[in-house]
Amino acid sequence: MIRENQQLLNRLHVLTDGIILYAALPAAFWIRFYLLPGGFISVPLSRYMAIGLFLTGAYLFTYAAFGLYQSFRRARLRRELEKLWLASALDMAILLSVLFIQHSVNYSRMTLAIWSALSLVALSCKRFFLRRVLRYFRQKGYNQKRVLVLGSGELARTYLKTIRSERELGYLPIGYIASRKENLNLKRLGDFEELEKLLDLYRPDEVVSAIDMEDYQRMPEIIAACEKTGTKLSIIPFYAKYMPSNPQFDDLEGIPLLNLRRIPLDNWANAFCKRAMDVTGALTLILLTSPVMLLCAAGVKLSSPGPVIFRQKRIGRNKEPFYMYKFRSMRVNDGQDTRWSANRDERKTRFGAFMRKCSLDELPQFFNVLKGDMSLVGPRPEIPFYVEQFKEDVPLYMVKHQVRPGITGWAQVNGLRGDTSIKARVEHDIYYIEHWSILFDIEILLTTIFRGKFLNSETLNG
């Protein structure tokens, strides 16, 4: 039943996207030529509607190519919207290029821009609303995906705990198969030797293999049974806790190689785009904040003896040390490399406390970005003293050093600033590294600005 429901939902999904795209065109035409001033109709609406048929088909094809019509039980809304906007931007860029080359018909660029904005907003709202509706019905027990679990160890327990706590995902466990019976609050259907017969009997929508290492020799017979009965198989490997959320595979003459730590920024084009945004953004922000920085420099000089700029060694990309710049907010002291700063710290000057409250002490880090030591967005860097401590105590701590450290980051915009959990910060940093995109960076920057938490002054400020 779930297969038929999914096919119906997918068809409705495509159909409603097409209706929204096509209907947004006359709405954009009306806004441009009847609502906004200065409009001269050189191309009639009928011509726009004719090209709208082609545009709608092209957009739907691109959306399908970007995977927007696959089941989104496991996909986050943010990731789906990111794909939607990227696909739309690609189609719009192609359309404008074609219109630039073809001068025979003078379509209004503003009309097409309004159409693109209207359709994107409508499609995004539709996806948000659709997820809310599906979540409601799945919590009520409808549109459930019947899964059969293989294994009875820790992996199986973790999987079952997740799908039971997140009922809106719509997974319904019908039983488990294992060599021994365990207390999983789920019916044991039989042993691995009976798998093929049980698949024919229960006809699950999906089999989830969560077997432990000692049962891994059974994997060939599990795969064979699923292939023979035409059952979809998903595998949770016993080393799952060491894997990234989006593992990458290489092909070595037909041998698949799993790369545990390949990240989006390993791609040179992605790295170039991020660096270009960093340089452009840093130069712009230096120009905009230069009057403020001059005032801060004067205030630091007048507030206490010592240098205006505080230089502190931090660990950056590839575990290379660099000096991070800040306006000095404390009196010169001996504990700047081993002592955490606090909200009430006798070392702070009055002007320094004001700067830190407004995060103005961090403005010189724009020059770190220009130098290439830092990025506008990334994990916050630490001093060598704490890196040596955390790498022993916090799992995966050193993974954050695969990218440039940032002035702001995913952890910071989620409230993990100052005296907060290092483990939680690292989890957010790794999520950012593994899911990086230009849109994700923009989201973090905008969130930082609007929440008023542009920079993080949590550690060892001088």
PDB file of all heavy atoms in Angstrom, residues 41-55:
ATOM      1  N   ILE A  41       3.683  47.151 -22.321  1.00  0.00           N
ATOM      2  CA  ILE A  41       3.502  45.780 -22.801  1.00  0.00           C
ATOM      3  C   ILE A  41       3.963  45.687 -24.249  1.00  0.00           C
ATOM      4  O   ILE A  41       3.268  46.141 -25.162  1.00  0.00           O
ATOM      5  CB  ILE A  41       2.030  45.340 -22.666  1.00  0.00           C
ATOM      6  CG1 ILE A  41       1.584  45.432 -21.205  1.00  0.00           C
ATOM      7  CG2 ILE A  41       1.855  43.913 -23.181  1.00  0.00           C
ATOM      8  CD1 ILE A  41       0.121  45.105 -20.989  1.00  0.00           C
ATOM      9  N   SER A  42       5.129  45.123 -24.456  1.00  0.00           N
ATOM     10  CA  SER A  42       5.639  44.915 -25.808  1.00  0.00           C
ATOM     11  C   SER A  42       5.370  43.493 -26.287  1.00  0.00           C
ATOM     12  O   SER A  42       5.387  43.230 -27.493  1.00  0.00           O
ATOM     13  CB  SER A  42       7.141  45.191 -25.860  1.00  0.00           C
ATOM     14  OG  SER A  42       7.843  44.331 -24.964  1.00  0.00           O
ATOM     15  N   VAL A  43       5.165  42.577 -25.336  1.00  0.00           N
ATOM     16  CA  VAL A  43       4.849  41.182 -25.656  1.00  0.00           C
ATOM     17  C   VAL A  43       3.548  40.833 -24.942  1.00  0.00           C
ATOM     18  O   VAL A  43       3.452  41.000 -23.718  1.00  0.00           O
ATOM     19  CB  VAL A  43       5.981  40.228 -25.198  1.00  0.00           C
ATOM     20  CG1 VAL A  43       5.619  38.779 -25.492  1.00  0.00           C
ATOM     21  CG2 VAL A  43       7.301  40.589 -25.872  1.00  0.00           C
ATOM     22  N   PRO A  44       2.506  40.366 -25.663  1.00  0.00           N
ATOM     23  CA  PRO A  44       1.219  40.073 -25.014  1.00  0.00           C
ATOM     24  C   PRO A  44       1.313  38.888 -24.056  1.00  0.00           C
ATOM     25  O   PRO A  44       2.235  38.073 -24.131  1.00  0.00           O
ATOM     26  CB  PRO A  44       0.297  39.757 -26.186  1.00  0.00           C
ATOM     27  CG  PRO A  44       1.204  39.284 -27.265  1.00  0.00           C
ATOM     28  CD  PRO A  44       2.470  40.073 -27.106  1.00  0.00           C
ATOM     29  N   LEU A  45       0.326  38.812 -23.163  1.00  0.00           N
ATOM     30  CA  LEU A  45       0.296  37.738 -22.168  1.00  0.00           C
ATOM     31  C   LEU A  45       0.286  36.362 -22.829  1.00  0.00           C
ATOM     32  O   LEU A  45       0.880  35.415 -22.311  1.00  0.00           O
ATOM     33  CB  LEU A  45      -0.941  37.903 -21.272  1.00  0.00           C
ATOM     34  CG  LEU A  45      -1.160  36.809 -20.222  1.00  0.00           C
ATOM     35  CD1 LEU A  45       0.012  36.724 -19.264  1.00  0.00           C
ATOM     36  CD2 LEU A  45      -2.462  37.060 -19.451  1.00  0.00           C
ATOM     37  N   SER A  46      -0.383  36.245 -23.979  1.00  0.00           N
ATOM     38  CA  SER A  46      -0.458  34.947 -24.640  1.00  0.00           C
ATOM     39  C   SER A  46       0.923  34.397 -24.989  1.00  0.00           C
ATOM     40  O   SER A  46       1.155  33.187 -24.936  1.00  0.00           O
ATOM     41  CB  SER A  46      -1.310  35.051 -25.906  1.00  0.00           C
ATOM     42  OG  SER A  46      -0.748  36.010 -26.799  1.00  0.00           O
ATOM     43  N   ARG A  47       1.858  35.274 -25.338  1.00  0.00           N
ATOM     44  CA  ARG A  47       3.206  34.830 -25.651  1.00  0.00           C
ATOM     45  C   ARG A  47       3.912  34.350 -24.390  1.00  0.00           C
ATOM     46  O   ARG A  47       4.697  33.385 -24.424  1.00  0.00           O
ATOM     47  CB  ARG A  47       3.992  35.974 -26.301  1.00  0.00           C
ATOM     48  CG  ARG A  47       3.451  36.432 -27.636  1.00  0.00           C
ATOM     49  CD  ARG A  47       3.650  35.388 -28.728  1.00  0.00           C
ATOM     50  NE  ARG A  47       5.047  35.176 -29.032  1.00  0.00           N
ATOM     51  CZ  ARG A  47       5.738  35.889 -29.935  1.00  0.00           C
ATOM     52  NH1 ARG A  47       5.137  36.859 -30.603  1.00  0.00           N
ATOM     53  NH2 ARG A  47       6.998  35.609 -30.167  1.00  0.00           N
ATOM     54  N   TYR A  48       3.668  35.046 -23.278  1.00  0.00           N
ATOM     55  CA  TYR A  48       4.259  34.598 -22.012  1.00  0.00           C
ATOM     56  C   TYR A  48       3.702  33.233 -21.608  1.00  0.00           C
ATOM     57  O   TYR A  48       4.440  32.372 -21.106  1.00  0.00           O
ATOM     58  CB  TYR A  48       3.969  35.613 -20.898  1.00  0.00           C
ATOM     59  CG  TYR A  48       4.851  36.829 -20.931  1.00  0.00           C
ATOM     60  CD1 TYR A  48       4.420  37.993 -21.548  1.00  0.00           C
ATOM     61  CD2 TYR A  48       6.107  36.824 -20.343  1.00  0.00           C
ATOM     62  CE1 TYR A  48       5.215  39.136 -21.573  1.00  0.00           C
ATOM     63  CE2 TYR A  48       6.910  37.956 -20.368  1.00  0.00           C
ATOM     64  CZ  TYR A  48       6.462  39.104 -20.987  1.00  0.00           C
ATOM     65  OH  TYR A  48       7.263  40.211 -21.019  1.00  0.00           O
ATOM     66  N   MET A  49       2.394  33.050 -21.819  1.00  0.00           N
ATOM     67  CA  MET A  49       1.797  31.770 -21.448  1.00  0.00           C
ATOM     68  C   MET A  49       2.318  30.640 -22.330  1.00  0.00           C
ATOM     69  O   MET A  49       2.445  29.496 -21.893  1.00  0.00           O
ATOM     70  CB  MET A  49       0.277  31.855 -21.546  1.00  0.00           C
ATOM     71  CG  MET A  49      -0.352  32.898 -20.619  1.00  0.00           C
ATOM     72  SD  MET A  49       0.182  32.745 -18.896  1.00  0.00           S
ATOM     73  CE  MET A  49      -0.613  31.209 -18.443  1.00  0.00           C
ATOM     74  N   ALA A  50       2.613  30.974 -23.605  1.00  0.00           N
ATOM     75  CA  ALA A  50       3.162  29.954 -24.498  1.00  0.00           C
ATOM     76  C   ALA A  50       4.547  29.529 -24.043  1.00  0.00           C
ATOM     77  O   ALA A  50       4.852  28.330 -23.965  1.00  0.00           O
ATOM     78  CB  ALA A  50       3.202  30.497 -25.928  1.00  0.00           C
ATOM     79  N   ILE A  51       5.402  30.510 -23.737  1.00  0.00           N
ATOM     80  CA  ILE A  51       6.735  30.157 -23.257  1.00  0.00           C
ATOM     81  C   ILE A  51       6.663  29.542 -21.858  1.00  0.00           C
ATOM     82  O   ILE A  51       7.537  28.774 -21.446  1.00  0.00           O
ATOM     83  CB  ILE A  51       7.669  31.395 -23.255  1.00  0.00           C
ATOM     84  CG1 ILE A  51       9.128  30.937 -23.125  1.00  0.00           C
ATOM     85  CG2 ILE A  51       7.327  32.361 -22.139  1.00  0.00           C
ATOM     86  CD1 ILE A  51      10.129  32.079 -23.184  1.00  0.00           C
ATOM     87  N   GLY A  52       5.572  29.859 -21.133  1.00  0.00           N
ATOM     88  CA  GLY A  52       5.403  29.301 -19.794  1.00  0.00           C
ATOM     89  C   GLY A  52       5.278  27.788 -19.797  1.00  0.00           C
ATOM     90  O   GLY A  52       5.716  27.116 -18.859  1.00  0.00           O
ATOM     91  N   LEU A  53       4.665  27.235 -20.855  1.00  0.00           N
ATOM     92  CA  LEU A  53       4.565  25.780 -20.959  1.00  0.00           C
ATOM     93  C   LEU A  53       5.950  25.144 -21.037  1.00  0.00           C
ATOM     94  O   LEU A  53       6.227  24.140 -20.381  1.00  0.00           O
ATOM     95  CB  LEU A  53       3.740  25.402 -22.204  1.00  0.00           C
ATOM     96  CG  LEU A  53       2.244  25.747 -22.152  1.00  0.00           C
ATOM     97  CD1 LEU A  53       1.609  25.502 -23.519  1.00  0.00           C
ATOM     98  CD2 LEU A  53       1.559  24.921 -21.068  1.00  0.00           C
ATOM     99  N   PHE A  54       6.809  25.750 -21.857  1.00  0.00           N
ATOM    100  CA  PHE A  54       8.180  25.236 -21.970  1.00  0.00           C
ATOM    101  C   PHE A  54       8.936  25.400 -20.656  1.00  0.00           C
ATOM    102  O   PHE A  54       9.636  24.483 -20.200  1.00  0.00           O
ATOM    103  CB  PHE A  54       8.906  25.970 -23.096  1.00  0.00           C
ATOM    104  CG  PHE A  54      10.380  25.710 -23.118  1.00  0.00           C
ATOM    105  CD1 PHE A  54      10.893  24.512 -23.610  1.00  0.00           C
ATOM    106  CD2 PHE A  54      11.266  26.659 -22.619  1.00  0.00           C
ATOM    107  CE1 PHE A  54      12.259  24.263 -23.614  1.00  0.00           C
ATOM    108  CE2 PHE A  54      12.633  26.425 -22.626  1.00  0.00           C
ATOM    109  CZ  PHE A  54      13.125  25.224 -23.117  1.00  0.00           C
ATOM    110  N   LEU A  55       8.807  26.567 -20.023  1.00  0.00           N
ATOM    111  CA  LEU A  55       9.515  26.835 -18.772  1.00  0.00           C
ATOM    112  C   LEU A  55       9.076  25.873 -17.669  1.00  0.00           C
ATOM    113  O   LEU A  55       9.895  25.362 -16.901  1.00  0.00           O
ATOM    114  CB  LEU A  55       9.278  28.276 -18.330  1.00  0.00           C
ATOM    115  CG  LEU A  55       9.929  29.374 -19.179  1.00  0.00           C
ATOM    116  CD1 LEU A  55       9.524  30.748 -18.676  1.00  0.00           C
ATOM    117  CD2 LEU A  55      11.442  29.220 -19.163  1.00  0.00           C
TER     118      LEU A  55
END
